[in-house]
Structure formats: structure tokens, C-alpha cells
Amino acid sequence: MAQQQQWQEVSGDRLQELGQLASPRAVRQQVPRLGYFLTTELCELSCVMCHFNGPNAKRRGAKTMDPAMVRKVLGGRPKGEKIWFVATGEFFNDPSALDYLREASSLGLSAGVITHGQALTPSFIDQILETGLKEILLSVDSIDPDQYARIRRGGQLQVILDACRSLREQKVRGRDITVGATTICFPRSKHTRAEVEEFWRERVDYVQFVSEYHDVFRLRRLFWLPEKRTACPIELIPLPSGHVAPCCAVAIHSHDHDVSWLPHLSE
């Protein structure tokens, strides 16, 4: 009994010492980083890799975020911050998409959009750029028209190429807009990375390559799963439901699972 009491006392002292050594020293942000703003699940395409609208996805009632919640979040962000408007569907299918871009610009935020680009006609591009949009990233997974059509079911590569031409013309006229292309790396792609980069060299300002998700929550993928996770930060990702995910894996997990335990923007 005496030995047990002595051990408890020693343990207590040791724990207190360790607690002092483990005091937080990291610099903590007062305002957590906002990742991607997912405002809607609506999409007219059925891309083969999509968890929400793909051919093998479970079709649920597509949600679109309450505009009041979007404005609440935008109003609380620090000036100069980059805000990426994306979607688990297509951002430009959100009826309030252009309003959000105008709101972000008026608040001094730097807005970017990730889009499949099928809505980017010259007249619509004019409307988009008038909102103050600073960057547009086109999701396009093949430079071969036939392969593109098989991946982005319902989409056409030529629409993307025409949009790139219009955007380049806007840049020549002095419009301050950055244009990029992002592609998922499929093992059966017909072209090498170097060929893809060369294809886009005169069409966009940069190209980025992304792998499919790691098997974090047994995520459904039709092509390939990496052997390990990529190093990704924890960041706030508002979902169309109004809940806030801490990473993209949870955002995808939310489609097929109950995530009512996540914080909600109305709280």
C-alpha cells in the first residue's frame, strides 16, 4: 500500500513535469484557414470518378447552401484571403454563384473558382470576369477528346479549349485573371505528363496534377488508389448542407454517411 502511494505521488510529480514540458508552443491562427467552399451538389455531368453525380454514385436529394450562410462566412474572413469556390457538383450551377463572387470581391477577398468549364461561353465569361474573379481552374482530365468524353460524361473537350481561347483574349486586353488546368492522374491516360504540360503551355498559365484519394474512409474509386496519403492540411470546408468538414476526405464521406456530428454554420 505504501509502495502504491509512493508510486502515485512520483507519477503525479512526473506528470506535472511532463505537462510543463509539453506546453503548446506552436503559433495558432486566430482565424482557421478556409479550404474549399462547396456550395452545391448540382451538376449536369456524370464524371466516372465522382462520388456525388457519377454513374455509380448514390443519387440523393442534391443540396445547395443557403445564401445567408455563404454571406455569413464571407463576412467573417480576413481581407485579402483567397477563397476557392468549388462544389461537389458544379459551382456555376448554384443560382447564386455570381452573387457570391461579387460579394467576395466587395469584401476585399480574392476569389477563385474550380469548374468543369462546360458553361464557359464567351458571354458567360464576360459576366464572370465582371464580378472581380481573380483565378479560374479548369478540371480537365485528358487532352484526347474521346477519352475526355468517357471520363467527363456529358462534357466536350472543345468547349474547354474555346473557353481557354476566350480567356486568353481577355488577358491580352489587360484583364487580371489567372487560368489553370487541373487533371486527375489516371493510369490509363493516353499521354505522358510532359505531353500534357506541352499541350496546355500556350493555353493556360499553369497545370497541376492530382492523384485520386487515398482509401481513408473506404472511398469509392473506379481506377486506382495511391499506396499512401498525400500530406494535406486540416482546413475548414463548408458543405452544401451547412456542416463544416475538416478535410476533403470527410467532405466526400458526408455524401453516403451521417455527419450530423460536424459543426454547422448556423451554430
Side-chain angles (χ1 to χ4, degrees), residues 22 47 69 106 121 140 143 153 155 159 189 193 223 246:
C47 303
M69 291 184 181
S106 68
T121 62
V140 49
I143 59 175
R153 293 159 49 111
V159 174
S189 176
R193 175 168 178 158
F223 294 92

Side-chain angles (χ1 to χ4, degrees), residues 12-38:
D13 292 342
R14 181 58 176 161
L15 286 173
Q16 184 176 5
E17 178 184 346
L18 291 174
Q20 293 174 347
L21 292 174
S23 297
R25 297 180 181 178
V27 177
R28 299 179 183 272
Q29 292 181 313
Q30 294 297 319
V31 181
R33 175 180 171 179
L34 187 68
Y36 299 105
F37 217 136
L38 308 178

Side-chain angles (χ1 to χ4, degrees), residues 122-176:
S123 60
F124 190 54
I125 287 174
D126 287 338
Q127 294 181 57
I128 293 169
L129 297 183
E130 288 300 323
T131 67
L133 179 68
K134 295 299 183 184
E135 186 167 352
I136 189 164
L137 184 57
L138 302 165
S139 294
V140 49
D141 304 308
S142 178
I143 59 175
D144 176 81
D146 293 333
Q147 187 175 47
Y148 175 91
R150 289 196 296 272
I151 295 173
R152 299 271 168 179
R153 293 159 49 111
Q156 298 179 41
L157 179 62
Q158 189 59 50
V159 174
I160 300 294
L161 301 184
D162 291 344
C164 288
R165 186 178 302 108
S166 295
L167 288 165
R168 295 299 284 183
E169 290 173 357
Q170 293 280 0
K171 289 174 68 72
V172 170
R173 296 173 195 161
R175 182 76 71 172
D176 181 19

Side-chain angles (χ1 to χ4, degrees), residues 37-163:
F37 217 136
L38 308 178
T39 68
T40 185
E41 293 179 358
L42 295 170
C43 188
E44 72 276 27
L45 302 189
S46 182
C47 303
V48 294
M49 65 288 190
C50 181
H51 297 276
F52 297 83
N53 297 290
N56 293 331
K58 294 179 181 178
R59 295 304 180 104
R60 305 184 184 280
K63 304 180 186 70
T64 297
M65 188 178 290
D66 182 347
M69 291 184 181
V70 177
R71 295 188 179 95
K72 176 183 177 181
V73 174
L74 293 179
R77 306 312 300 178
K79 284 189 176 182
E81 183 178 50
K82 186 63 170 286
I83 303 289
W84 278 106
F85 289 98
V86 204
T88 46
E90 160 60 32
F91 174 65
F92 287 124
N93 281 346
D94 188 322
S96 301
L98 297 185
D99 292 335
Y100 297 154
L101 296 178
R102 294 187 192 98
E103 180 80 5
S105 180
S106 68
L107 292 171
L109 303 171
S110 178
V113 169
I114 300 180
T115 173
H116 59 47
Q118 293 299 306
L120 298 181
T121 62
S123 60
F124 190 54
I125 287 174
D126 287 338
Q127 294 181 57
I128 293 169
L129 297 183
E130 288 300 323
T131 67
L133 179 68
K134 295 299 183 184
E135 186 167 352
I136 189 164
L137 184 57
L138 302 165
S139 294
V140 49
D141 304 308
S142 178
I143 59 175
D144 176 81
D146 293 333
Q147 187 175 47
Y148 175 91
R150 289 196 296 272
I151 295 173
R152 299 271 168 179
R153 293 159 49 111
Q156 298 179 41
L157 179 62
Q158 189 59 50
V159 174
I160 300 294
L161 301 184
D162 291 344

Side-chain angles (χ1 to χ4, degrees), residues 222-246:
L222 302 180
F223 294 92
W224 173 67
L225 285 171
E227 295 180 357
K228 61 181 181 179
R229 290 195 55 146
T230 55
C232 54
I234 298 298
E235 51 193 10
L236 304 181
I237 303 179
L239 306 176
S241 64
H243 288 94
V244 182

